[in-house]
Amino acid sequence: ELQELPVVRRLIKWYFFTWLFGVAVWQVDFHLCHHVNQLPINPQGHAWWHMSVGVASFLGPLALAFVEAKKRGLNPSIRFHGGLLPLIHTKEKI
């Protein structure tokens, strides 16, 4: 069924990418802390983890909500608010 919904596949790919990126940065920051602290600037790995996992926590449920709206026959579409924030739009109010 996901093959029929390319927008959902993209959302899921971005969900996994942002989650994996956040976890990878956090692990590097955590396990290589002594090396990171010697850099001229602090890359703030823990902060990047919070931001990435926060975005993933939005994208995952958004993909699931899109699938649910599709199952209910609400003809959902993804529109980008401000060109950046993906939101689900339906012809009917949910």
Side-chain angles (χ1 to χ4, degrees), residues 73-84:
L74 297 174
N75 289 330
S77 64
I78 298 288
R79 296 187 189 160
F80 288 85
H81 180 69
L84 185 62

Side-chain angles (χ1 to χ4, degrees), residues 14-15 18-19 21-23 25-26 43-59:
W14 276 103
Y15 161 76
T18 56
W19 187 84
F21 173 77
V23 170
V25 169
W26 172 54
Q44 300 295 330
H46 191 80
W48 282 103
W49 172 78
H50 277 284
M51 290 174 43
S52 296
V53 173
V55 169
S57 296
F58 173 75
L59 293 176

Side-chain angles (χ1 to χ4, degrees), residues 9-25:
R9 292 179 69 198
R10 277 194 304 271
L11 286 173
I12 291 172
K13 284 178 185 178
W14 276 103
Y15 161 76
F16 281 117
F17 171 75
T18 56
W19 187 84
L20 286 173
F21 173 77
V23 170
V25 169

